[in-house]
Amino acid sequence: MSTAFESYDLAGTRLSNRIVMAPMTRSRAYGPGQSPTDLMAEYYAQRAGAGLIVTEGTQPSVIGQGYPDTPGIHSAEQIEAWRRVTDAVHAKGGAIYLQLMHTGRVGHPSLMGLTPVGPSAVQAKGQVYTHEGPQDFVTPKELTEEEIQETIADYVSAARNAVEAGFDGVELHGANGYLIHQFLAPNSNTRTDGWGGSPEARIRFAVETAKATAEAIGADKVGFRISPANPYNDIDETDRTDVEATYTALVNALAPLNLAYLHQMEAPEVRDLTLRLRKAWPTTFILNPFTGMEPTGPEELKLLEDNTADLIAYGGLFLANPDLPTRLRQGGPFNTPDRATSFGGDHRGYTDYPALNS
């Protein structure tokens, strides 16, 4: 699998290999105002052997926070704290993008004292974890036209802040049932104005956000993540005809922007759609492949060899194996992630996973 360990040019940023550390929420932003900590800088620096690191989801605004202790990128102190992270990764020769994640209707007033917002006033089924324990999702406030434009401006401001903090680029999170995905999906977006009612209208928020962000910091510094047919956070994309129409329209609308990459988190039984989107996409295509209940492993590197993707993203294995590219090259062995320490806590299950040479 030599292709995986070759260097790669990502829109002008040199990557040491084609292995991506996928974004993973870890809920350890204990610094002032949900700022990254020195422990977070250590965590990311340990994994700088990835060709590209995409950070945990980071809220572009106060209202964009959906979980406890997730970091933001909307204040001066957050920018300064993230600079310590990017400096640490760059000192190890790594490249790092910041994932911008507005959680939309996924959240709770107890987290930030505000009612979550969404494309429509449609309550998601399920619960969200808060400092007081799991609580039912609430009905979000439907964004007005003016508030939609303000939200796009929040993404733009956050992207500029990310560049100021030293990131090589940003990834717009349009997956996993968060705000951009909520606009894409017909069960969470029931609008009948210019922002909903058809696939072409439902993609508008995603496209305008990407366009504004690219104009602000350069298209070569903007990636976009999708997860077609992913039911996470009560998204219903079971109508495959609609899914095909929506994501084909989205990719066709994003393609002329010449973004740095498209990053797909693959759901079950959509490989045919994956291949069509890959063929339609003009720049780098990153795939976080569907592997059932198992984490993405060495066998998925063949997806680079057969040109299914340009880069392969790993989540769970990167959580537990800070030197994952080295382990992949030699076929293991691999540390097993401790799921009990995935969210919150201290260094345990975070920065104490051993490297092979430790």
Side-chain angles (χ1 to χ4, degrees), residues 20-24 52-58 96-102 155 159 162 167-176 180 209 213 217 221-226 259-265 286 288 313:
V20 176
M21 176 178 164
M24 293 178 285
L52 174 67
I53 291 172
V54 183
T55 72
E56 61 210 274
T58 301
I96 184 167
Y97 270 48
L98 179 77
Q99 188 189 68
L100 295 178
M101 181 178 82
H102 190 308
Y155 277 100
F167 283 97
D168 297 292
V170 301
E171 176 179 283
L172 299 175
H173 196 351
N176 293 6
I180 294 175
T209 300
T213 304
I217 66 171
K221 293 182 175 63
V222 180
F224 198 100
R225 197 179 204 213
I226 59 173
L259 303 181
Y261 65 77
L262 181 69
H263 181 183
Q264 181 177 343
M265 181 176 177
I286 304 175
N288 196 166

mmCIF file of all heavy atoms in Angstrom, residues 20-24 52-58 96-102 155 159 162 167-176 180 209 213 217 221-226 259-265 286 288 313:
data_model
loop_
_atom_site.group_PDB
_atom_site.id
_atom_site.type_symbol
_atom_site.label_atom_id
_atom_site.label_comp_id
_atom_site.label_asym_id
_atom_site.label_seq_id
_atom_site.Cartn_x
_atom_site.Cartn_y
_atom_site.Cartn_z
ATOM 1 N N VAL A 20 -5.519 10.720 7.032
ATOM 2 C CA VAL A 20 -6.131 11.868 7.699
ATOM 3 C C VAL A 20 -6.636 11.454 9.068
ATOM 4 O O VAL A 20 -7.261 10.395 9.216
ATOM 5 C CB VAL A 20 -7.301 12.417 6.860
ATOM 6 C CG1 VAL A 20 -8.015 13.560 7.578
ATOM 7 C CG2 VAL A 20 -6.807 12.862 5.485
ATOM 8 N N MET A 21 -6.379 12.290 10.054
ATOM 9 C CA MET A 21 -7.014 12.117 11.361
ATOM 10 C C MET A 21 -8.372 12.791 11.294
ATOM 11 O O MET A 21 -8.480 14.002 11.120
ATOM 12 C CB MET A 21 -6.177 12.745 12.470
ATOM 13 C CG MET A 21 -6.833 12.670 13.845
ATOM 14 S SD MET A 21 -5.764 13.367 15.124
ATOM 15 C CE MET A 21 -6.950 13.573 16.465
ATOM 16 N N ALA A 22 -9.431 11.981 11.402
ATOM 17 C CA ALA A 22 -10.792 12.498 11.298
ATOM 18 C C ALA A 22 -11.147 13.352 12.510
ATOM 19 O O ALA A 22 -10.599 13.159 13.598
ATOM 20 C CB ALA A 22 -11.776 11.342 11.167
ATOM 21 N N PRO A 23 -12.077 14.282 12.354
ATOM 22 C CA PRO A 23 -12.526 15.088 13.497
ATOM 23 C C PRO A 23 -13.245 14.227 14.525
ATOM 24 O O PRO A 23 -14.106 13.417 14.173
ATOM 25 C CB PRO A 23 -13.478 16.108 12.864
ATOM 26 C CG PRO A 23 -13.906 15.491 11.578
ATOM 27 C CD PRO A 23 -12.767 14.657 11.106
ATOM 28 N N MET A 24 -12.872 14.399 15.795
ATOM 29 C CA MET A 24 -13.481 13.625 16.886
ATOM 30 C C MET A 24 -13.689 14.522 18.094
ATOM 31 O O MET A 24 -12.727 15.056 18.647
ATOM 32 C CB MET A 24 -12.588 12.445 17.278
ATOM 33 C CG MET A 24 -12.461 11.372 16.216
ATOM 34 S SD MET A 24 -11.339 10.044 16.735
ATOM 35 C CE MET A 24 -9.743 10.859 16.539
ATOM 36 N N LEU A 52 -2.820 14.833 7.417
ATOM 37 C CA LEU A 52 -3.659 15.976 7.766
ATOM 38 C C LEU A 52 -4.438 15.653 9.022
ATOM 39 O O LEU A 52 -5.014 14.568 9.138
ATOM 40 C CB LEU A 52 -4.646 16.289 6.627
ATOM 41 C CG LEU A 52 -5.687 17.385 6.904
ATOM 42 C CD1 LEU A 52 -5.009 18.747 7.034
ATOM 43 C CD2 LEU A 52 -6.760 17.415 5.814
ATOM 44 N N ILE A 53 -4.450 16.584 9.957
ATOM 45 C CA ILE A 53 -5.336 16.520 11.119
ATOM 46 C C ILE A 53 -6.523 17.437 10.858
ATOM 47 O O ILE A 53 -6.347 18.589 10.450
ATOM 48 C CB ILE A 53 -4.617 16.985 12.402
ATOM 49 C CG1 ILE A 53 -3.532 15.996 12.819
ATOM 50 C CG2 ILE A 53 -5.616 17.184 13.547
ATOM 51 C CD1 ILE A 53 -2.659 16.496 13.967
ATOM 52 N N VAL A 54 -7.731 16.919 11.079
ATOM 53 C CA VAL A 54 -8.921 17.765 11.128
ATOM 54 C C VAL A 54 -9.376 17.758 12.584
ATOM 55 O O VAL A 54 -9.640 16.702 13.154
ATOM 56 C CB VAL A 54 -10.043 17.260 10.211
ATOM 57 C CG1 VAL A 54 -11.226 18.231 10.242
ATOM 58 C CG2 VAL A 54 -9.547 17.096 8.778
ATOM 59 N N THR A 55 -9.457 18.918 13.190
ATOM 60 C CA THR A 55 -9.743 18.994 14.617
ATOM 61 C C THR A 55 -11.166 18.568 14.940
ATOM 62 O O THR A 55 -12.022 18.447 14.062
ATOM 63 C CB THR A 55 -9.568 20.417 15.173
ATOM 64 O OG1 THR A 55 -10.654 21.233 14.698
ATOM 65 C CG2 THR A 55 -8.244 21.019 14.779
ATOM 66 N N GLU A 56 -11.395 18.413 16.221
ATOM 67 C CA GLU A 56 -12.744 18.232 16.737
ATOM 68 C C GLU A 56 -13.634 19.391 16.303
ATOM 69 O O GLU A 56 -13.150 20.494 16.013
ATOM 70 C CB GLU A 56 -12.703 18.179 18.253
ATOM 71 C CG GLU A 56 -12.157 19.450 18.895
ATOM 72 C CD GLU A 56 -11.458 19.170 20.218
ATOM 73 O OE1 GLU A 56 -12.154 19.122 21.236
ATOM 74 O OE2 GLU A 56 -10.222 19.013 20.200
ATOM 75 N N GLY A 57 -14.937 19.154 16.252
ATOM 76 C CA GLY A 57 -15.867 20.205 15.888
ATOM 77 C C GLY A 57 -15.762 21.392 16.823
ATOM 78 O O GLY A 57 -15.756 21.247 18.049
ATOM 79 N N THR A 58 -15.684 22.582 16.234
ATOM 80 C CA THR A 58 -15.431 23.815 16.983
ATOM 81 C C THR A 58 -16.505 24.830 16.634
ATOM 82 O O THR A 58 -16.727 25.138 15.454
ATOM 83 C CB THR A 58 -14.030 24.354 16.628
ATOM 84 O OG1 THR A 58 -13.052 23.357 16.958
ATOM 85 C CG2 THR A 58 -13.723 25.636 17.369
ATOM 86 N N ILE A 96 -2.804 20.974 9.756
ATOM 87 C CA ILE A 96 -4.015 20.903 10.586
ATOM 88 C C ILE A 96 -5.080 21.867 10.096
ATOM 89 O O ILE A 96 -4.812 23.058 9.874
ATOM 90 C CB ILE A 96 -3.655 21.154 12.078
ATOM 91 C CG1 ILE A 96 -4.887 20.994 12.970
ATOM 92 C CG2 ILE A 96 -2.949 22.484 12.272
ATOM 93 C CD1 ILE A 96 -4.551 20.927 14.457
ATOM 94 N N TYR A 97 -6.283 21.336 9.890
ATOM 95 C CA TYR A 97 -7.469 22.121 9.567
ATOM 96 C C TYR A 97 -8.387 22.144 10.787
ATOM 97 O O TYR A 97 -8.461 21.172 11.543
ATOM 98 C CB TYR A 97 -8.242 21.487 8.405
ATOM 99 C CG TYR A 97 -7.847 21.955 7.024
ATOM 100 C CD1 TYR A 97 -6.504 22.017 6.632
ATOM 101 C CD2 TYR A 97 -8.812 22.307 6.083
ATOM 102 C CE1 TYR A 97 -6.160 22.422 5.349
ATOM 103 C CE2 TYR A 97 -8.476 22.717 4.800
ATOM 104 C CZ TYR A 97 -7.152 22.775 4.437
ATOM 105 O OH TYR A 97 -6.812 23.174 3.171
ATOM 106 N N LEU A 98 -9.091 23.246 10.955
ATOM 107 C CA LEU A 98 -10.075 23.382 12.030
ATOM 108 C C LEU A 98 -11.461 23.066 11.486
ATOM 109 O O LEU A 98 -11.886 23.646 10.490
ATOM 110 C CB LEU A 98 -10.065 24.806 12.585
ATOM 111 C CG LEU A 98 -11.069 25.078 13.716
ATOM 112 C CD1 LEU A 98 -10.567 24.501 15.024
ATOM 113 C CD2 LEU A 98 -11.335 26.570 13.864
ATOM 114 N N GLN A 99 -12.163 22.143 12.135
ATOM 115 C CA GLN A 99 -13.532 21.872 11.718
ATOM 116 C C GLN A 99 -14.485 22.862 12.384
ATOM 117 O O GLN A 99 -14.524 22.968 13.610
ATOM 118 C CB GLN A 99 -13.967 20.454 12.062
ATOM 119 C CG GLN A 99 -15.338 20.129 11.437
ATOM 120 C CD GLN A 99 -15.930 18.832 11.913
ATOM 121 O OE1 GLN A 99 -16.297 18.711 13.075
ATOM 122 N NE2 GLN A 99 -16.040 17.859 11.015
ATOM 123 N N LEU A 100 -15.252 23.571 11.567
ATOM 124 C CA LEU A 100 -16.257 24.502 12.067
ATOM 125 C C LEU A 100 -17.591 23.767 12.160
ATOM 126 O O LEU A 100 -18.142 23.338 11.141
ATOM 127 C CB LEU A 100 -16.373 25.718 11.144
ATOM 128 C CG LEU A 100 -15.129 26.608 11.075
ATOM 129 C CD1 LEU A 100 -15.343 27.745 10.092
ATOM 130 C CD2 LEU A 100 -14.771 27.146 12.456
ATOM 131 N N MET A 101 -18.110 23.632 13.373
ATOM 132 C CA MET A 101 -19.316 22.851 13.618
ATOM 133 C C MET A 101 -20.331 23.677 14.397
ATOM 134 O O MET A 101 -20.179 23.893 15.593
ATOM 135 C CB MET A 101 -18.979 21.572 14.400
ATOM 136 C CG MET A 101 -20.181 20.677 14.679
ATOM 137 S SD MET A 101 -19.737 19.134 15.551
ATOM 138 C CE MET A 101 -19.654 19.726 17.253
ATOM 139 N N HIS A 102 -21.340 24.148 13.707
ATOM 140 C CA HIS A 102 -22.498 24.768 14.355
ATOM 141 C C HIS A 102 -23.500 23.642 14.531
ATOM 142 O O HIS A 102 -23.949 23.038 13.558
ATOM 143 C CB HIS A 102 -23.065 25.876 13.470
ATOM 144 C CG HIS A 102 -24.111 26.734 14.120
ATOM 145 N ND1 HIS A 102 -25.232 26.204 14.749
ATOM 146 C CD2 HIS A 102 -24.217 28.085 14.236
ATOM 147 C CE1 HIS A 102 -25.976 27.192 15.208
ATOM 148 N NE2 HIS A 102 -25.382 28.340 14.921
ATOM 149 N N TYR A 155 -19.786 31.980 10.447
ATOM 150 C CA TYR A 155 -18.841 31.025 9.850
ATOM 151 C C TYR A 155 -17.650 31.756 9.242
ATOM 152 O O TYR A 155 -16.493 31.343 9.406
ATOM 153 C CB TYR A 155 -19.529 30.201 8.760
ATOM 154 C CG TYR A 155 -20.315 29.005 9.220
ATOM 155 C CD1 TYR A 155 -21.699 29.064 9.343
ATOM 156 C CD2 TYR A 155 -19.687 27.796 9.495
ATOM 157 C CE1 TYR A 155 -22.449 27.956 9.732
ATOM 158 C CE2 TYR A 155 -20.422 26.678 9.882
ATOM 159 C CZ TYR A 155 -21.797 26.768 10.000
ATOM 160 O OH TYR A 155 -22.530 25.663 10.396
ATOM 161 N N ALA A 159 -13.800 31.443 10.371
ATOM 162 C CA ALA A 159 -12.762 30.997 9.440
ATOM 163 C C ALA A 159 -11.580 31.965 9.444
ATOM 164 O O ALA A 159 -10.412 31.544 9.426
ATOM 165 C CB ALA A 159 -13.350 30.862 8.041
ATOM 166 N N ALA A 162 -9.629 31.341 12.471
ATOM 167 C CA ALA A 162 -8.832 30.123 12.356
ATOM 168 C C ALA A 162 -7.518 30.389 11.629
ATOM 169 O O ALA A 162 -6.451 29.884 12.032
ATOM 170 C CB ALA A 162 -9.631 29.036 11.636
ATOM 171 N N PHE A 167 -4.114 27.969 11.553
ATOM 172 C CA PHE A 167 -4.572 26.756 10.878
ATOM 173 C C PHE A 167 -4.263 26.827 9.387
ATOM 174 O O PHE A 167 -4.276 27.906 8.778
ATOM 175 C CB PHE A 167 -6.073 26.557 11.098
ATOM 176 C CG PHE A 167 -6.406 26.027 12.463
ATOM 177 C CD1 PHE A 167 -6.789 26.895 13.481
ATOM 178 C CD2 PHE A 167 -6.306 24.673 12.743
ATOM 179 C CE1 PHE A 167 -7.079 26.422 14.749
ATOM 180 C CE2 PHE A 167 -6.596 24.189 14.009
ATOM 181 C CZ PHE A 167 -6.982 25.059 15.014
ATOM 182 N N ASP A 168 -4.041 25.664 8.792
ATOM 183 C CA ASP A 168 -3.796 25.585 7.355
ATOM 184 C C ASP A 168 -5.085 25.745 6.562
ATOM 185 O O ASP A 168 -5.048 26.010 5.364
ATOM 186 C CB ASP A 168 -3.135 24.240 7.015
ATOM 187 C CG ASP A 168 -1.775 24.094 7.685
ATOM 188 O OD1 ASP A 168 -0.850 24.833 7.297
ATOM 189 O OD2 ASP A 168 -1.646 23.262 8.604
ATOM 190 N N GLY A 169 -6.215 25.570 7.224
ATOM 191 C CA GLY A 169 -7.503 25.729 6.581
ATOM 192 C C GLY A 169 -8.615 25.366 7.535
ATOM 193 O O GLY A 169 -8.374 25.080 8.718
ATOM 194 N N VAL A 170 -9.853 25.371 7.030
ATOM 195 C CA VAL A 170 -11.008 25.003 7.841
ATOM 196 C C VAL A 170 -11.844 23.974 7.080
ATOM 197 O O VAL A 170 -11.824 23.917 5.845
ATOM 198 C CB VAL A 170 -11.898 26.215 8.201
ATOM 199 C CG1 VAL A 170 -11.114 27.260 8.972
ATOM 200 C CG2 VAL A 170 -12.546 26.822 6.956
ATOM 201 N N GLU A 171 -12.555 23.161 7.832
ATOM 202 C CA GLU A 171 -13.523 22.231 7.256
ATOM 203 C C GLU A 171 -14.912 22.626 7.730
ATOM 204 O O GLU A 171 -15.155 22.716 8.941
ATOM 205 C CB GLU A 171 -13.214 20.795 7.692
ATOM 206 C CG GLU A 171 -14.236 19.783 7.202
ATOM 207 C CD GLU A 171 -13.920 18.351 7.603
ATOM 208 O OE1 GLU A 171 -13.026 17.747 6.974
ATOM 209 O OE2 GLU A 171 -14.549 17.846 8.563
ATOM 210 N N LEU A 172 -15.824 22.862 6.795
ATOM 211 C CA LEU A 172 -17.209 23.158 7.130
ATOM 212 C C LEU A 172 -17.930 21.837 7.361
ATOM 213 O O LEU A 172 -17.972 20.971 6.482
ATOM 214 C CB LEU A 172 -17.876 23.937 5.996
ATOM 215 C CG LEU A 172 -17.242 25.296 5.664
ATOM 216 C CD1 LEU A 172 -17.927 25.912 4.451
ATOM 217 C CD2 LEU A 172 -17.305 26.236 6.852
ATOM 218 N N HIS A 173 -18.497 21.677 8.563
ATOM 219 C CA HIS A 173 -19.130 20.420 8.944
ATOM 220 C C HIS A 173 -20.570 20.393 8.430
ATOM 221 O O HIS A 173 -21.471 20.973 9.029
ATOM 222 C CB HIS A 173 -19.099 20.281 10.472
ATOM 223 C CG HIS A 173 -19.371 18.894 10.974
ATOM 224 N ND1 HIS A 173 -19.795 17.873 10.167
ATOM 225 C CD2 HIS A 173 -19.270 18.361 12.232
ATOM 226 C CE1 HIS A 173 -19.945 16.768 10.894
ATOM 227 N NE2 HIS A 173 -19.624 17.043 12.142
ATOM 228 N N GLY A 174 -20.773 19.694 7.315
ATOM 229 C CA GLY A 174 -22.100 19.564 6.747
ATOM 230 C C GLY A 174 -22.657 18.169 6.930
ATOM 231 O O GLY A 174 -23.473 17.718 6.121
ATOM 232 N N ALA A 175 -22.232 17.488 7.999
ATOM 233 C CA ALA A 175 -22.568 16.085 8.217
ATOM 234 C C ALA A 175 -23.150 15.869 9.610
ATOM 235 O O ALA A 175 -23.315 16.796 10.406
ATOM 236 C CB ALA A 175 -21.318 15.217 8.025
ATOM 237 N N ASN A 176 -23.504 14.608 9.892
ATOM 238 C CA ASN A 176 -23.835 14.126 11.245
ATOM 239 C C ASN A 176 -25.006 14.832 11.918
ATOM 240 O O ASN A 176 -25.115 14.850 13.143
ATOM 241 C CB ASN A 176 -22.604 14.200 12.151
ATOM 242 C CG ASN A 176 -21.514 13.237 11.721
ATOM 243 O OD1 ASN A 176 -21.611 12.591 10.695
ATOM 244 N ND2 ASN A 176 -20.463 13.143 12.509
ATOM 245 N N ILE A 180 -25.683 22.574 9.091
ATOM 246 C CA ILE A 180 -25.687 22.517 7.627
ATOM 247 C C ILE A 180 -26.444 21.284 7.149
ATOM 248 O O ILE A 180 -27.241 21.350 6.204
ATOM 249 C CB ILE A 180 -24.255 22.554 7.069
ATOM 250 C CG1 ILE A 180 -23.594 23.912 7.373
ATOM 251 C CG2 ILE A 180 -24.249 22.300 5.563
ATOM 252 C CD1 ILE A 180 -22.140 24.012 6.960
ATOM 253 N N THR A 209 -22.737 29.327 2.480
ATOM 254 C CA THR A 209 -21.743 29.340 3.543
ATOM 255 C C THR A 209 -20.365 29.016 2.988
ATOM 256 O O THR A 209 -19.362 29.671 3.324
ATOM 257 C CB THR A 209 -22.123 28.342 4.648
ATOM 258 O OG1 THR A 209 -23.399 28.702 5.191
ATOM 259 C CG2 THR A 209 -21.096 28.340 5.764
ATOM 260 N N THR A 213 -17.237 31.688 2.839
ATOM 261 C CA THR A 213 -16.004 31.316 3.546
ATOM 262 C C THR A 213 -14.822 31.289 2.590
ATOM 263 O O THR A 213 -13.728 31.774 2.910
ATOM 264 C CB THR A 213 -16.176 29.954 4.228
ATOM 265 O OG1 THR A 213 -17.314 29.989 5.098
ATOM 266 C CG2 THR A 213 -14.953 29.598 5.056
ATOM 267 N N ILE A 217 -11.284 33.572 3.002
ATOM 268 C CA ILE A 217 -9.940 33.071 3.348
ATOM 269 C C ILE A 217 -9.257 32.348 2.196
ATOM 270 O O ILE A 217 -8.099 31.940 2.325
ATOM 271 C CB ILE A 217 -9.978 32.136 4.573
ATOM 272 C CG1 ILE A 217 -10.749 30.846 4.261
ATOM 273 C CG2 ILE A 217 -10.571 32.859 5.787
ATOM 274 C CD1 ILE A 217 -10.619 29.788 5.371
ATOM 275 N N LYS A 221 -8.212 26.977 1.164
ATOM 276 C CA LYS A 221 -8.144 26.751 2.606
ATOM 277 C C LYS A 221 -9.481 26.269 3.178
ATOM 278 O O LYS A 221 -9.673 26.288 4.392
ATOM 279 C CB LYS A 221 -7.718 28.035 3.334
ATOM 280 C CG LYS A 221 -6.285 28.479 3.060
ATOM 281 C CD LYS A 221 -5.951 29.730 3.862
ATOM 282 C CE LYS A 221 -4.489 30.119 3.713
ATOM 283 N NZ LYS A 221 -4.159 30.470 2.314
ATOM 284 N N VAL A 222 -10.377 25.825 2.322
ATOM 285 C CA VAL A 222 -11.718 25.419 2.770
ATOM 286 C C VAL A 222 -12.026 23.998 2.295
ATOM 287 O O VAL A 222 -11.973 23.711 1.096
ATOM 288 C CB VAL A 222 -12.810 26.382 2.254
ATOM 289 C CG1 VAL A 222 -14.192 25.940 2.740
ATOM 290 C CG2 VAL A 222 -12.518 27.813 2.699
ATOM 291 N N GLY A 223 -12.354 23.127 3.251
ATOM 292 C CA GLY A 223 -12.863 21.807 2.949
ATOM 293 C C GLY A 223 -14.321 21.721 3.370
ATOM 294 O O GLY A 223 -14.828 22.586 4.096
ATOM 295 N N PHE A 224 -15.002 20.665 2.929
ATOM 296 C CA PHE A 224 -16.423 20.521 3.222
ATOM 297 C C PHE A 224 -16.710 19.060 3.520
ATOM 298 O O PHE A 224 -16.329 18.175 2.754
ATOM 299 C CB PHE A 224 -17.265 20.987 2.032
ATOM 300 C CG PHE A 224 -18.699 21.280 2.355
ATOM 301 C CD1 PHE A 224 -19.126 22.575 2.552
ATOM 302 C CD2 PHE A 224 -19.620 20.251 2.492
ATOM 303 C CE1 PHE A 224 -20.448 22.855 2.873
ATOM 304 C CE2 PHE A 224 -20.942 20.510 2.809
ATOM 305 C CZ PHE A 224 -21.364 21.822 3.000
ATOM 306 N N ARG A 225 -17.401 18.791 4.645
ATOM 307 C CA ARG A 225 -17.708 17.413 5.032
ATOM 308 C C ARG A 225 -19.194 17.104 4.864
ATOM 309 O O ARG A 225 -20.053 17.911 5.230
ATOM 310 C CB ARG A 225 -17.307 17.158 6.491
ATOM 311 C CG ARG A 225 -17.223 15.658 6.814
ATOM 312 C CD ARG A 225 -16.799 15.415 8.240
ATOM 313 N NE ARG A 225 -16.181 14.099 8.377
ATOM 314 C CZ ARG A 225 -16.270 13.340 9.465
ATOM 315 N NH1 ARG A 225 -16.951 13.758 10.516
ATOM 316 N NH2 ARG A 225 -15.663 12.171 9.517
ATOM 317 N N ILE A 226 -19.481 15.922 4.318
ATOM 318 C CA ILE A 226 -20.851 15.463 4.121
ATOM 319 C C ILE A 226 -20.998 14.042 4.652
ATOM 320 O O ILE A 226 -20.005 13.332 4.832
ATOM 321 C CB ILE A 226 -21.261 15.495 2.627
ATOM 322 C CG1 ILE A 226 -20.329 14.609 1.796
ATOM 323 C CG2 ILE A 226 -21.284 16.923 2.097
ATOM 324 C CD1 ILE A 226 -20.755 14.439 0.344
ATOM 325 N N LEU A 259 -12.880 24.204 -3.974
ATOM 326 C CA LEU A 259 -12.463 24.065 -2.578
ATOM 327 C C LEU A 259 -11.293 23.091 -2.456
ATOM 328 O O LEU A 259 -11.024 22.298 -3.360
ATOM 329 C CB LEU A 259 -13.637 23.569 -1.730
ATOM 330 C CG LEU A 259 -14.918 24.400 -1.749
ATOM 331 C CD1 LEU A 259 -15.963 23.760 -0.838
ATOM 332 C CD2 LEU A 259 -14.648 25.843 -1.333
ATOM 333 N N ALA A 260 -10.639 23.127 -1.309
ATOM 334 C CA ALA A 260 -9.484 22.259 -1.090
ATOM 335 C C ALA A 260 -9.866 20.792 -1.158
ATOM 336 O O ALA A 260 -9.132 19.967 -1.717
ATOM 337 C CB ALA A 260 -8.842 22.569 0.267
ATOM 338 N N TYR A 261 -11.014 20.443 -0.560
ATOM 339 C CA TYR A 261 -11.419 19.038 -0.581
ATOM 340 C C TYR A 261 -12.892 18.868 -0.245
ATOM 341 O O TYR A 261 -13.533 19.761 0.313
ATOM 342 C CB TYR A 261 -10.564 18.197 0.376
ATOM 343 C CG TYR A 261 -10.689 18.518 1.858
ATOM 344 C CD1 TYR A 261 -11.794 18.098 2.611
ATOM 345 C CD2 TYR A 261 -9.680 19.208 2.544
ATOM 346 C CE1 TYR A 261 -11.896 18.362 3.972
ATOM 347 C CE2 TYR A 261 -9.772 19.474 3.904
ATOM 348 C CZ TYR A 261 -10.878 19.051 4.615
ATOM 349 O OH TYR A 261 -10.983 19.302 5.967
ATOM 350 N N LEU A 262 -13.390 17.680 -0.570
ATOM 351 C CA LEU A 262 -14.676 17.177 -0.107
ATOM 352 C C LEU A 262 -14.379 15.963 0.758
ATOM 353 O O LEU A 262 -13.611 15.082 0.363
ATOM 354 C CB LEU A 262 -15.570 16.772 -1.279
ATOM 355 C CG LEU A 262 -16.962 16.259 -0.917
ATOM 356 C CD1 LEU A 262 -17.833 17.387 -0.366
ATOM 357 C CD2 LEU A 262 -17.637 15.624 -2.143
ATOM 358 N N HIS A 263 -14.977 15.919 1.943
ATOM 359 C CA HIS A 263 -14.709 14.859 2.918
ATOM 360 C C HIS A 263 -16.022 14.138 3.195
ATOM 361 O O HIS A 263 -16.939 14.720 3.772
ATOM 362 C CB HIS A 263 -14.142 15.479 4.195
ATOM 363 C CG HIS A 263 -13.798 14.513 5.278
ATOM 364 N ND1 HIS A 263 -13.326 14.927 6.516
ATOM 365 C CD2 HIS A 263 -13.833 13.161 5.341
ATOM 366 C CE1 HIS A 263 -13.100 13.882 7.271
ATOM 367 N NE2 HIS A 263 -13.404 12.787 6.580
ATOM 368 N N GLN A 264 -16.122 12.890 2.774
ATOM 369 C CA GLN A 264 -17.363 12.144 2.977
ATOM 370 C C GLN A 264 -17.213 11.127 4.092
ATOM 371 O O GLN A 264 -16.320 10.278 4.077
ATOM 372 C CB GLN A 264 -17.799 11.416 1.704
ATOM 373 C CG GLN A 264 -19.117 10.656 1.884
ATOM 374 C CD GLN A 264 -19.606 10.000 0.617
ATOM 375 O OE1 GLN A 264 -19.164 10.334 -0.481
ATOM 376 N NE2 GLN A 264 -20.516 9.061 0.759
ATOM 377 N N MET A 265 -18.116 11.215 5.073
ATOM 378 C CA MET A 265 -18.274 10.165 6.067
ATOM 379 C C MET A 265 -19.334 9.222 5.514
ATOM 380 O O MET A 265 -20.489 9.595 5.346
ATOM 381 C CB MET A 265 -18.710 10.736 7.413
ATOM 382 C CG MET A 265 -18.859 9.703 8.493
ATOM 383 S SD MET A 265 -19.269 10.461 10.088
ATOM 384 C CE MET A 265 -19.467 8.971 11.075
ATOM 385 N N ILE A 286 -11.652 13.110 0.179
ATOM 386 C CA ILE A 286 -11.303 12.364 1.391
ATOM 387 C C ILE A 286 -12.465 11.454 1.739
ATOM 388 O O ILE A 286 -13.619 11.890 1.745
ATOM 389 C CB ILE A 286 -11.018 13.309 2.576
ATOM 390 C CG1 ILE A 286 -9.920 14.319 2.224
ATOM 391 C CG2 ILE A 286 -10.634 12.517 3.821
ATOM 392 C CD1 ILE A 286 -9.674 15.364 3.313
ATOM 393 N N ASN A 288 -13.980 8.809 4.672
ATOM 394 C CA ASN A 288 -14.013 8.096 5.954
ATOM 395 C C ASN A 288 -14.943 6.901 5.693
ATOM 396 O O ASN A 288 -16.165 7.032 5.805
ATOM 397 C CB ASN A 288 -14.557 9.017 7.034
ATOM 398 C CG ASN A 288 -14.291 8.540 8.448
ATOM 399 O OD1 ASN A 288 -14.442 9.295 9.400
ATOM 400 N ND2 ASN A 288 -13.900 7.279 8.626
ATOM 401 N N ALA A 313 -9.559 8.843 5.852
ATOM 402 C CA ALA A 313 -9.666 9.388 7.208
ATOM 403 C C ALA A 313 -9.896 8.271 8.222
ATOM 404 O O ALA A 313 -10.710 7.369 7.990
ATOM 405 C CB ALA A 313 -10.804 10.397 7.278
#
